[in-house]
């Protein structure tokens, strides 16, 4: 069923006016694209999956207001009304019209998310897809949380877990998002895991994904600010978050690491690699391996105080 997408592009300073006009007219719903505070949002949520390069390239000075019309609505009448109200409010704008299928909103993203293999043992498989493999399978649907294995930083972490997890390990995943890293560690043999995230939506999604993979009895997901919910020590600590959050977290990590334990920090743009390495070393961690993939970096660390 074909709907109409009317996209109004306005300067940031006129965003509220354009949104109010679209809301007063819309019978089907509106969608706002506003990237002006992207970096601050990423820092608050602490998930690097928000800052794909195509998002970083977005114009921060403009806002896009999408107004969706049902098939039985007359686009010409709505466009005329929009133009009149935008002109009356002295709002500078550009207007584009396109068609969109209703199912594209609901399930269209499934066309771009398929089974994938990572490392020597892992396969990430969406719940609706059959995938014949002898690998360790993680069933995962993207939902609205971040971390599906497709982003370079998540892939780097998964490949590292594949190499380093030892049966019986206790795992801490800081900024757990979809829970994919904690779930992978458990399916690779870890005995228990804690996932921590400041976003309640992510906590809910991680719990659901753990149930989907049959490890919900081994994964505890908590709402918290980085490491403040951690207890005891861990053989593996992961933090697939942004560089600033890693630097803030670093001083607390050595005390959480069990003897011989690992800390994997990812979500680092390559231009900040040396800065983050210096911060980790200052915090008492020793970077033993630097992994890079298409402009993103993961740092594999040991406790610098160990012999």
């Amino acid at each position: 069923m074909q709907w109409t997408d009317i996209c109004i592009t306005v300067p940031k300073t006129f965003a509220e006016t354009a949104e109010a006009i679209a809301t007063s007219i819309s019978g089907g719903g509106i969608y706002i694209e506003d990237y002006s505070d992207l970096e601050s949002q990423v820092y608050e949520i602490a998930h690097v999956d928000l800052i794909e390069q195509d998002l970083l390239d977005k114009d921060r000075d403009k806002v896009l207001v999408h107004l969706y019309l049902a098939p039985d609505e007359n686009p010409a009448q709505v466009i005329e009304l929009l133009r009149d109200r935008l002109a009356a409010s002295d709002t500078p704008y550009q207007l584009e019209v396109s068609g969109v299928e209703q199912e594209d909103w609901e399930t269209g993203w499934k066309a771009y998310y398929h089974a994938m293999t990572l490392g020597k043992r892992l396969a990430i498989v969406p719940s609706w897809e059959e995938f014949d493999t002898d690998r360790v399978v993680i069933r995962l649907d993207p939902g609205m949380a971040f971390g599906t294995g497709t982003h370079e930083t998540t892939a780097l972490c998964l490949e590292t877990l594949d190499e380093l997890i030892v049966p019986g390990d206790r795992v801490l995943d800081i900024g757990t998002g979809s829970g994919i890293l904690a779930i992978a560690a458990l399916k690779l043999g870890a005995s228990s895991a804690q996932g921590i995230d400041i976003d309640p939506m992510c906590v809910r999604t991680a719990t659901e994904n753990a149930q989907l993979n049959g490890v919900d009895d081994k994964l505890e997901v908590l709402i918290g600010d980085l490491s403040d919910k951690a207890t005891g020590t861990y053989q593996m600590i992961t933090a697939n978050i942004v560089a600033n959050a890693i630097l803030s977290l670093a001083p607390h990590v050595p005390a959480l690491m069990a003897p011989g334990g690992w800390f994997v920090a990812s979500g680092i743009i390559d231009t900040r690699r040396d800065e983050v390495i210096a911060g980790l070393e200052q915090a008492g961690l020793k970077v033993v391996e630097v992994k890079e993939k298409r402009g993103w970096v993961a740092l594999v660390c040991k406790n610098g105080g160990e012999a």
Side-chain angles (χ1 to χ4, degrees):
M1 184 164 54
Q2 186 91 50
W3 285 53
T4 302
D5 175 5
I6 302 175
C7 179
I8 311 158
T9 301
V10 298
K12 169 66 178 176
T13 52
F14 289 87
E16 290 185 2
T17 300
E19 181 180 352
I21 291 172
T23 300
S24 68
I25 295 173
S26 174
I30 63 172
Y31 166 60
I32 311 297
E33 289 187 71
D34 181 356
Y35 304 98
S36 59
D37 59 349
L38 180 64
E39 281 84 359
S40 63
Q41 290 183 33
V42 170
Y43 180 75
E44 290 171 5
I45 299 176
H47 285 289
V48 73
D49 288 306
L50 273 178
I51 51 172
E52 296 272 9
Q53 188 59 48
D54 61 340
L55 289 182
L56 289 173
D57 293 339
K58 295 288 187 181
D59 190 336
R60 310 302 171 81
D61 298 322
K62 295 181 179 179
V63 171
L64 282 66
V65 180
H66 295 266
L67 186 152
Y68 297 106
L69 304 183
D72 59 351
E73 294 184 85
N74 187 333
Q77 291 180 345
V78 174
I79 290 170
E80 182 179 1
L81 183 57
L82 275 173
R83 291 188 184 280
D84 287 345
R85 293 190 179 180
L86 289 166
S89 65
D90 293 324
T91 300
Y93 69 93
Q94 293 179 325
L95 194 147
E96 297 180 8
V97 181
S98 60
V100 58
E101 295 293 334
Q102 183 176 9
E103 56 265 28
D104 289 344
W105 300 1
E106 300 168 352
T107 61
W109 51 270
K110 290 184 178 181
Y112 304 99
Y113 182 49
H114 299 289
M116 60 186 297
T117 58
L118 290 164
K120 296 180 179 179
R121 295 183 285 168
L122 289 171
I124 312 299
V125 184
S127 63
W128 62 86
E129 185 170 315
E130 295 297 324
F131 189 67
D132 186 15
T133 182
D134 57 0
R135 286 173 170 256
V136 174
V137 172
I138 302 172
R139 289 281 176 182
L140 196 74
D141 294 345
M144 293 184 67
F146 310 105
T148 62
T150 58
H151 192 280
E152 288 81 359
T153 62
T154 309
L156 286 169
C157 288
L158 288 168
E159 291 165 2
T160 304
L161 291 175
D162 191 5
E163 297 169 3
L164 298 179
I165 284 292
V166 174
D169 278 354
R170 184 173 186 241
V171 176
L172 173 64
D173 183 24
I174 302 169
T176 196
S178 67
I180 186 172
L181 299 184
I183 292 168
L186 289 168
K187 299 202 78 169
L188 288 168
S191 61
S192 66
Q194 287 184 323
I196 298 174
D197 207 292
I198 62 174
D199 188 341
M201 179 189 71
C202 294
V203 174
R204 182 174 64 251
T205 301
T207 300
E208 292 172 352
N209 285 329
Q211 293 170 346
L212 183 63
N213 285 276
V215 296
D216 49 304
D217 59 328
K218 299 178 182 179
L219 175 60
E220 182 182 18
V221 188
L222 303 168
I223 299 175
D225 183 9
L226 299 180
S227 65
D228 67 350
K229 296 289 184 178
T231 57
T233 59
Y234 306 82
Q235 284 76 33
M236 172 63 71
I237 301 174
T238 55
N240 184 23
I241 50 182
V242 293
N244 286 344
I246 291 170
L247 291 171
S248 175
L249 165 73
H252 306 284
V253 171
L256 297 172
M257 297 173 70
W262 299 93
F263 174 54
V264 181
S266 191
I268 305 160
I269 299 173
D270 56 5
T271 54
R272 301 195 66 182
R273 176 189 56 210
D274 294 342
E275 174 192 354
V276 176
I277 290 174
L280 293 176
E281 292 178 345
Q282 185 176 4
L285 293 157
K286 180 180 180 182
V287 178
V288 297
E289 186 176 6
V290 178
K291 299 186 175 187
E292 299 192 34
K293 182 174 292 190
R294 289 187 289 274
W296 297 94
V297 177
L299 303 174
V300 183
C301 308
K302 300 288 284 186
N303 192 330
E306 293 182 1

